[in-house]
Amino acid sequence: MRKGKFGIVLCFYPIAAFAAVILNSPLICAALTAVAVFLEKDDWTGRQTVQAWMASAVVYFVSHMAAWLDMIYIPYISGFLSLVSSVIFVLIYIAAIIFSVLSIIRVRKDEEANFPLLSELAYRIYGQRKPKPVVPPMQYPSPYSMPQMPQQPSPAAAQAPQQPYPPQGAYPASPAPAPQYTPPMAVQPSYEAQQPLQQPQEPGQDSSNS
């Protein structure tokens, strides 16, 4: 929480000012507003105390409206006007108490009091404009974009059995090595088998006669 020039927490002034509204003490509320505006000179503190001072002034004015009406005596009308002013005072005073309690809760969190009808007026007194809440823009779908249809699996994929996934943390077993195929060795015919057998020649015979 921020502190002012006198070492007092700045949220003390608006809290005490709204408490004065609840107790219907306009003089105390005006004194706190004067200290916050002219001595502390803090914009946030001044705006909140000004709201409390205006609420206190409204309650004070309505509370004395019946006394002012009694000064003008009109037969059969003065009593009715006094009753109406009393009812109006009670309603306004109850509303001021409720909004003052809500303002105290907000001010304790260093937020704006947001007293109805008086918050914007306090900004104007300080020559400022109350910021409006930013509303995110709504995104509309393009009229030319086609809606995406969900993809359906093919009949073959639907009929294929689904293989279960191995459990997490377990490594799949290494496949057994495939047997190596060794081609049979070709039997080469011997050189002697390729040559025809020659009959032995008898002595005295010419090889040409054979």
Side-chain angles (χ1 to χ4, degrees):
M1 296 183 179
R2 298 180 297 116
K3 293 184 178 181
K5 298 179 180 179
F6 304 102
I8 302 174
V9 180
L10 292 177
C11 65
F12 165 76
Y13 298 101
I15 291 175
F18 283 110
V21 175
I22 297 173
L23 299 176
N24 196 11
S25 301
L27 294 179
I28 297 176
C29 186
L32 292 170
T33 303
V35 173
V37 173
F38 298 106
L39 297 181
E40 293 291 352
K41 295 181 180 181
D42 184 75
D43 291 348
W44 178 83
T45 308
R47 287 197 307 269
Q48 317 315 314
T49 52
V50 165
Q51 295 179 47
W53 173 74
M54 289 188 292
S56 178
V58 170
V59 173
Y60 177 80
F61 173 79
V62 176
S63 64
H64 288 73
M65 184 168 34
W68 295 336
L69 291 175
D70 290 340
M71 296 175 62
I72 304 174
Y73 178 75
I74 302 176
Y76 305 105
I77 297 178
S78 299
F80 176 74
L81 293 177
S82 178
L83 178 62
V84 172
S85 62
S86 300
V87 173
I88 294 175
F89 166 71
V90 171
L91 295 177
I92 292 179
Y93 189 44
I94 292 175
I97 292 174
I98 294 174
F99 291 130
S100 297
V101 172
L102 296 176
S103 300
I104 291 173
I105 295 174
R106 298 190 189 102
V107 167
R108 287 184 58 187
K109 302 177 183 179
D110 291 339
E111 299 177 358
E112 293 289 333
N114 288 331
F115 201 99
L117 302 177
L118 302 181
S119 176
E120 188 173 357
L121 185 59
Y123 272 97
R124 291 184 180 181
I125 292 175
Y126 273 82
Q128 301 173 358
R129 181 176 296 180
K130 184 178 180 180
K132 297 181 179 179
V134 180
V135 179
M138 298 182 63
Q139 297 181 358
Y140 297 95
S142 177
Y144 302 101
S145 61
M146 298 296 294
Q148 297 182 0
M149 300 297 293
Q151 298 181 359
Q152 297 181 357
S154 59
Q159 295 178 1
Q162 297 182 359
Q163 297 181 359
Y165 293 95
Q168 297 182 359
Y171 296 94
S174 58
Q180 298 181 359
Y181 175 75
T182 303
M185 298 181 61
V187 180
Q188 297 181 1
S190 60
Y191 179 74
E192 295 178 356
Q194 294 180 0
Q195 295 182 359
L197 297 176
Q198 296 182 3
Q199 297 179 359
Q201 297 181 1
E202 296 180 359
Q205 295 180 358
D206 191 4
S207 60
S208 59
N209 296 330
S210 61

